[in-house]
Amino acid sequence: MKERAREVKAAARRSPRDKAAEGERDVLEKISEMEKPDREMAEKIHAMIKANAPDLVPRTWYGMPAYSRDGSVLCFFRPAPKFGERYATFGFNDNAKIDDGNMWPVAYALTKLTKAEEAKLTALIKQAVS
């Protein structure tokens, strides 16, 4: 919660023009602090989002890399050590357009990011911003 409070205060001081650039810097800094394999997965996911959903604005959210639209976080990457878990997580918030019937997953456990998982996440990211 303390980290989130710092993020909110820092964002309030930024001009709208600087939010994207400084958010990108913050996300890349958080990614660089991660241990392998989380760092490698976060780098790939960051590149996938930049290539496939360039309108999403990088930012940190509770100390995690996240990507927002219109000020609301759409998706995020949570490294395994964040909550002492055995795997990293890529998740979506309710503003992502990934609805599929009456029930659908909103978070995905990641232990490795191969071309197959990259393809699945890329499709989900594109659907989320559609």
Side-chain angles (χ1 to χ4, degrees):
M1 292 306 284
K2 290 179 184 179
E3 195 155 15
R4 181 69 184 131
R6 281 192 295 272
E7 292 167 356
V8 169
K9 287 179 185 176
R13 290 189 296 265
R14 295 177 180 160
S15 71
R17 190 173 55 130
D18 294 337
K19 281 187 182 184
E22 290 187 28
E24 172 103 10
R25 180 185 48 82
D26 293 346
V27 163
L28 293 175
E29 183 179 314
K30 283 294 179 188
I31 291 172
S32 73
E33 294 170 359
M34 294 176 192
E35 299 287 327
K36 285 185 177 181
D38 291 351
R39 182 179 63 245
E40 293 167 337
M41 289 189 289
E43 289 169 345
K44 285 182 181 180
I45 288 171
H46 182 73
M48 289 167 32
I49 291 171
K50 297 286 288 178
N52 295 288
D55 293 339
L56 292 182
V57 177
R59 61 184 271 195
T60 56
W61 186 59
Y62 296 96
M64 300 177 286
Y67 303 87
S68 64
R69 178 172 49 196
D70 300 327
S72 296
V73 171
L74 185 101
C75 57
F76 59 91
F77 178 82
R78 184 174 68 210
K82 182 73 175 172
F83 295 109
E85 297 172 330
R86 65 181 178 91
Y87 50 79
T89 304
F90 184 75
F92 294 95
N93 282 339
D94 62 345
N95 57 338
K97 297 177 181 170
I98 58 169
D99 301 29
D100 185 19
N102 293 321
M103 185 172 89
W104 56 90
V106 294
Y108 297 83
L110 298 171
T111 57
K112 189 175 181 183
L113 199 55
T114 67
K115 293 290 182 193
E117 287 83 26
E118 286 181 41
K120 289 177 187 176
L121 283 182
T122 296
L124 284 167
I125 291 164
K126 286 179 178 180
Q127 180 182 348
V129 297
S130 66

